Amino acid sequence: MIGCSCAVCTSGNPKDKRLRSSILIESPTTTIVIDTTPDFRCQMLRVHNTKLDAVLFTHPHKDHIAGLDDIRAYNFFQQKPMDVYANALTAEALKHEFAYVFADKKYPGIPQINLHTIDETPFVIGDIPIQPFTVWHHKMPVFGYRFQKFTYITDANRIDDHVKEMIAGSGIIVLNALRREKHISHFTLGEAIALVQELKIPNAYFTHISHQLGKHEEVEKQLPPGSHLGYDGLQLLV
Ligand SMILES: [Zn+2]
Ligand SMILES: [Zn+2]
């Protein structure tokens, strides 16, 4: 947090250095990123990522979309527009927030985007099957995504029963857990742990962590078996 000198913000442990929430999903042929955060450029440089086939968005909050302009690097190298997938609310927001990208008269060098507005119909990118579903971020509909045994949910604090059924049977879930204190639009750590137990998902990694949650090492020790704090650079084999 800018300007903060708490134990987390001054920690020397790299696992306490958290950029904004995003994941990269890779199969032998296909690479997808979920959300282009304000840190997107740094995140792609950090892992030396050289290929990107598509971007999936969860919701239009700035900490999940602000880095979209930087996909233009992939436009240059891949010589084609980027396929971008979002629910209707997010697609409309992208057109406002990045009006120059969607303008009739475009200036040179701006991102080239194929915007696909999606609903909860399953679809495939390359060799990766994707099941979108809606979760609730206070009153905002947010897309979570299931990739066979792997489920990714960020920025939620409520999940409808029929969606819980869509998530059940996952082997690994990444789920937002902001802090211990109640929040209007994010699961707390306790709520996230309870949901993982309710859904009987064997492996959980918590994400979208505030500095208010505490230091990685200390919180990690207090989690039930199978549950972990995510951290920047974490890689999972599914
Ligand atoms: Zn949000
Ligand atoms: Zn967020």
Side-chain angles (χ1 to χ4, degrees):
M1 176 68 84
I2 291 174
C4 184
S5 48
C6 78
V8 172
C9 292
T10 57
S11 165
N13 183 349
K15 291 180 178 173
D16 287 320
K17 306 284 178 215
R18 301 176 184 126
L19 300 184
R20 263 60 69 90
S21 302
S22 173
I23 60 168
L24 184 139
I25 294 177
E26 220 169 15
S27 75
T29 66
T30 307
T31 308
I32 298 171
V33 155
I34 302 186
D35 292 334
T36 54
T37 81
D39 303 316
F40 171 69
R41 180 170 177 273
C42 296
Q43 289 164 328
M44 294 303 102
L45 288 172
R46 188 172 60 185
V47 296
H48 308 291
N49 182 55
T50 54
K51 176 177 176 283
L52 188 61
D53 297 298
V55 175
L56 305 180
F57 280 110
T58 59
H59 69 301
H61 282 161
K62 213 58 160 190
D63 57 327
H64 295 257
I65 67 170
L68 181 62
D69 190 82
D70 285 312
I71 63 95
R72 66 202 201 98
Y74 296 101
N75 294 151
F76 298 150
F77 286 119
Q78 298 176 172
Q79 290 289 306
K80 59 174 185 180
M82 181 61 66
D83 284 308
V84 170
Y85 298 81
N87 65 15
L89 180 78
T90 309
E92 281 315 301
L94 292 174
K95 289 178 200 165
H96 282 117
E97 307 274 339
F98 297 91
Y100 62 100
V101 171
F102 300 95
D104 292 334
K105 280 196 177 165
K106 298 183 174 67
Y107 57 87
I110 62 170
Q112 293 162 42
I113 286 171
N114 276 339
L115 180 58
H116 307 267
T117 303
I118 52 169
D119 55 22
E120 295 182 331
T121 310
F123 65 108
V124 176
I125 299 173
D127 61 354
I128 302 180
I130 301 161
Q131 170 68 67
F133 53 82
T134 298
V135 295
W136 296 100
H137 191 25
H138 188 45
K139 290 176 182 168
M140 175 181 278
V142 170
F143 262 6
Y145 294 97
R146 180 166 178 175
F147 308 85
Q148 293 169 309
K149 288 284 178 188
F150 177 79
T151 295
Y152 182 78
I153 297 172
T154 189
D155 292 61
N157 72 328
R158 187 163 58 81
I159 302 182
D160 294 333
D161 286 341
H162 77 276
V163 171
K164 287 181 183 173
E165 285 169 25
M166 293 167 80
I167 300 164
S170 300
I172 302 180
I173 188 169
V174 173
L175 180 64
N176 65 299
L178 190 74
R179 61 186 192 191
R180 291 175 203 276
E181 298 75 32
K182 193 83 184 155
H183 188 274
I184 188 170
S185 61
H186 281 269
F187 285 128
T188 64
L189 182 63
E191 289 166 344
I193 290 170
L195 180 64
V196 169
Q197 289 173 342
E198 180 191 344
L199 296 172
K200 300 188 172 62
I201 299 176
N203 300 291
Y205 293 85
F206 300 124
T207 191
H208 211 300
I209 299 164
S210 161
H211 64 147
Q212 295 165 328
L213 185 60
K215 293 173 82 171
H216 179 94
E217 254 177 37
E218 288 163 22
V219 179
E220 178 73 21
K221 277 187 234 154
Q222 300 161 12
L223 298 178
S227 285
H228 302 278
L229 289 192
Y231 54 87
D232 284 35
L234 171 65
Q235 295 187 23
L236 301 170
L237 264 176
V238 182

